[in-house]
Amino acid sequence: MSCDNLTLHTDKYQINMMYAHWFNGSMDRKAVFEAYFRKLPFGNGYAVFAGLQRIVEYIQHLRFDEASIRYLAEQEENYDPAFLEKLRQFRFTGSLWSVEEGSLVFPNEPLIRVEASVFEAQLLETAILNFMNYQTLVATKASRIRQVAPDDVLMEFGTRRAQEADAAVWGARATYIAGFDATSNMRAGMMFGIPTKGTHAHAWVQGHDSEEEAFRKFSAALPDQVTLLVDTYDTIKSGVPHAIETAKWLQSQGKRMRAIRLDSGDLAYLSKTARAMLDEAGLQDVQIVASNDLDENIIFNLKAQGARIDSWGVGTKLITAADQPALGGVYKLVAREREDGFIPVIKISGNPEKVTTPGIKDVYRIVNRETNKAMADYIALTDEDDVQQGKPLKLFDPVHTYISKTVEQYEAQPMLRPIFVNGKQVYELPALETIRKHHRKQLTLFWPEYLRKLNPEVYPVNLSPEAWYQKMSLIRIRKHKE
């Protein structure tokens, strides 16, 4: 059965809550939800926001088709047919604000804000988190790898180990946003315009009587794109010598070999030895590509050992974010409509990090005008205007409130952009190259101490005094009621 419609790409409890709101006559009440994450992945100093294009396309096509309605009619809840008829008319008529893709983001700040009827806002939760969590996680992993290999060619090789087809293509896109140069996935290349790269498999070598024959025939077929995998039998004793022979043959044809690829063994030793052999043969322009379960930690260590590797094919550990396979982003109600307008709401938890920050909020990046470096992110209620007017701001740690400072000479960059207003898309999705440039520009706003791979400095995310006092007040009120 084909199921290209993503409207039911949701958890069942969303449908049940929608039904309960419809049943009780509260479905049209407005609500405000915020999506954010609580903890940075991989012990990194920042995350890279991604997933907005997928979210926008999902909302654009949000319709309960007849197949979806028939399926819901079969559920054990025995939904009222009038409710199902209401779903046939469903369209997103609310508003959505979001951080732009490629932006550097931090814990506990709103990345997406949804203001809509509770009926609509509730349906969006699962898909928004699914798209945001995965793509932000992979983009952050890719950025970590780019940080340790700033000048090398990085290729995403993860398709065969990704969690299904959608993860492979959208994961490839996320890596490209964060600085990778190419992908092996042809579908991702076609969908998004990402450059594609590939060599050949061990099976190509095994499928011939000799390594020399395999290399020669591959080179004859693709004389302008020759990268040879040299570790099928013995990298140093046969693979590299046969690659050198093939390179000399190509030269006699007026062509040149681009690279050799190492996919196993001691990559530091093999790359240094192979480099010396290639150089001795006068093939200084032939590069060395490495693959084999790489990540930022292995690449960092290989570079520390003096590995002579020019390009890196990174697969499994990148596309699956192997050392932290989930971001943990959440979607929380922060305000709801009553007769007299919106009121802030809070979630209290025995885990302090799970206590939400109530109220409808904006996020600003506070940039020092003298250094042009970010000092902090500032979360303020939407009806505050101090930051917009450039008034002095008190920045204080929301946990250790005695740690504070006042800033005056700053630029406040709004982080949340309107994407949909009253159901209409008002944000033009940028080209992928534009997103990549935005990401690179974002990196220049931060001191290296926040970006480093090991023990990064914690970047401040501050609440405005008004937002902080409102949170403390609601905590006291809720505790008193309990």
Side-chain angles (χ1 to χ4, degrees), residues 10 47 128 140 145 210 276 292 333 357 450 463:
T10 189
I128 283 179
T140 304
I145 295 169
S210 69
N292 187 30
L333 182 68
T357 300
Y450 297 122
L463 293 177

Side-chain angles (χ1 to χ4, degrees), residues 86 94 107 181 275 277-278 351 406:
K86 190 68 178 178
D181 299 291
R275 181 76 272 158
M277 295 169 69
L278 291 167
N351 294 24
T406 299

Side-chain angles (χ1 to χ4, degrees), residues 236-399:
I236 300 303
K237 291 183 179 179
S238 73
V240 175
H242 290 148
I244 290 172
E245 291 174 10
T246 305
K248 297 291 189 181
W249 174 78
L250 279 167
Q251 285 181 339
S252 72
Q253 308 297 309
K255 304 290 184 179
R256 58 176 290 272
M257 189 168 75
R258 290 196 170 194
I260 62 171
R261 178 161 73 99
L262 305 173
D263 189 50
S264 62
D266 186 332
L267 295 179
Y269 165 74
L270 292 174
S271 66
K272 287 185 283 188
T273 305
R275 181 76 272 158
M277 295 169 69
L278 291 167
D279 290 351
E280 186 177 352
L283 299 171
Q284 291 87 353
D285 59 338
V286 173
Q287 296 192 329
I288 297 176
V289 181
S291 48
N292 187 30
D293 282 342
L294 300 172
D295 65 6
E296 68 273 29
N297 301 308
I298 293 173
I299 294 172
F300 181 83
N301 289 333
L302 285 170
K303 284 183 168 292
Q305 296 171 58
R308 300 295 303 276
I309 296 168
D310 306 289
S311 302
W312 308 84
V314 190
T316 303
K317 293 182 178 179
L318 169 61
I319 206 70
T320 65
D323 46 340
Q324 185 176 325
L327 178 65
V330 295
Y331 182 89
K332 295 299 181 183
L333 182 68
V334 296
R336 61 185 178 89
E337 186 182 37
R338 288 199 318 194
E339 292 75 11
D340 54 346
F342 282 103
I343 62 166
V345 297
I346 191 169
K347 172 185 177 289
I348 307 291
S349 172
N351 294 24
E353 70 276 7
K354 290 189 174 184
V355 177
T356 61
T357 300
I360 309 172
K361 300 177 290 297
D362 282 318
V363 185
Y364 299 90
R365 184 144 293 159
I366 307 303
V367 178
N368 186 306
R369 289 190 182 277
E370 294 182 357
T371 64
N372 201 32
K373 295 294 185 183
M375 294 185 286
D377 281 8
Y378 188 77
I379 302 172
L381 301 176
T382 54
D383 57 2
E384 295 184 65
D385 60 4
D386 286 5
V387 66
Q388 297 169 6
Q389 294 183 21
K391 294 181 179 179
L393 298 180
K394 181 180 180 181
L395 304 180
F396 62 93
D397 187 289
V399 177

Side-chain angles (χ1 to χ4, degrees), residues 69-88:
I69 296 296
R70 285 195 301 271
Y71 180 71
L72 289 172
E74 298 168 356
Q75 299 304 300
E76 62 184 359
E77 284 79 3
N78 193 26
Y79 301 120
D80 189 311
F83 168 71
L84 301 179
E85 186 59 37
K86 190 68 178 178
L87 293 184
R88 280 193 176 91

Side-chain angles (χ1 to χ4, degrees), residues 51 53 101 135 169-177 192 194 432 435:
Q53 178 173 324
E101 288 192 283
Q135 293 188 48
V169 295
W170 289 99
R173 180 181 179 276
T175 69
Y176 193 63
I177 285 173
F192 307 122
I194 304 172
L432 198 50
I435 298 172

Side-chain angles (χ1 to χ4, degrees), residues 93-336:
T93 63
S95 299
L96 182 145
W97 292 260
S98 176
V99 170
E100 294 185 283
E101 288 192 283
S103 297
L104 269 60
V105 293
F106 301 91
N108 299 309
E109 59 185 16
L111 307 180
I112 295 172
R113 188 176 81 230
V114 176
E115 182 179 331
S117 72
V118 68
F119 194 72
E120 298 173 21
Q122 205 71 71
L123 180 62
L124 268 55
E125 175 178 357
T126 302
I128 283 179
L129 289 178
N130 180 211
F131 304 147
M132 180 193 85
N133 279 337
Y134 174 68
Q135 293 188 48
T136 299
L137 188 72
V138 173
T140 304
K141 185 74 169 174
S143 185
R144 281 171 62 79
I145 295 169
R146 174 51 77 194
Q147 291 294 313
V148 302
D151 303 315
D152 300 343
V153 174
L154 297 177
M155 299 170 288
E156 182 276 313
F157 278 5
T159 296
R160 64 190 60 194
R161 304 288 170 75
Q163 286 89 346
E164 249 286 350
D166 281 355
V169 295
W170 289 99
R173 180 181 179 276
T175 69
Y176 193 63
I177 285 173
F180 267 58
D181 299 291
T183 178
S184 65
N185 188 294
M186 296 297 288
R187 183 165 167 249
M190 183 175 70
M191 288 173 62
F192 307 122
I194 304 172
T196 56
K197 297 287 185 183
T199 57
H200 63 77
H202 294 104
W204 175 261
V205 178
Q206 294 171 280
H208 294 80
D209 290 336
S210 69
E211 195 170 49
E212 303 98 308
E213 179 189 9
F215 286 177
R216 182 72 61 90
K217 287 188 173 180
F218 186 80
S219 300
L222 296 164
D224 297 314
Q225 305 290 334
V226 180
T227 295
L228 299 176
L229 181 59
V230 297
D231 72 331
T232 303
Y233 300 123
D234 188 304
T235 300
I236 300 303
K237 291 183 179 179
S238 73
V240 175
H242 290 148
I244 290 172
E245 291 174 10
T246 305
K248 297 291 189 181
W249 174 78
L250 279 167
Q251 285 181 339
S252 72
Q253 308 297 309
K255 304 290 184 179
R256 58 176 290 272
M257 189 168 75
R258 290 196 170 194
I260 62 171
R261 178 161 73 99
L262 305 173
D263 189 50
S264 62
D266 186 332
L267 295 179
Y269 165 74
L270 292 174
S271 66
K272 287 185 283 188
T273 305
R275 181 76 272 158
M277 295 169 69
L278 291 167
D279 290 351
E280 186 177 352
L283 299 171
Q284 291 87 353
D285 59 338
V286 173
Q287 296 192 329
I288 297 176
V289 181
S291 48
N292 187 30
D293 282 342
L294 300 172
D295 65 6
E296 68 273 29
N297 301 308
I298 293 173
I299 294 172
F300 181 83
N301 289 333
L302 285 170
K303 284 183 168 292
Q305 296 171 58
R308 300 295 303 276
I309 296 168
D310 306 289
S311 302
W312 308 84
V314 190
T316 303
K317 293 182 178 179
L318 169 61
I319 206 70
T320 65
D323 46 340
Q324 185 176 325
L327 178 65
V330 295
Y331 182 89
K332 295 299 181 183
L333 182 68
V334 296
R336 61 185 178 89

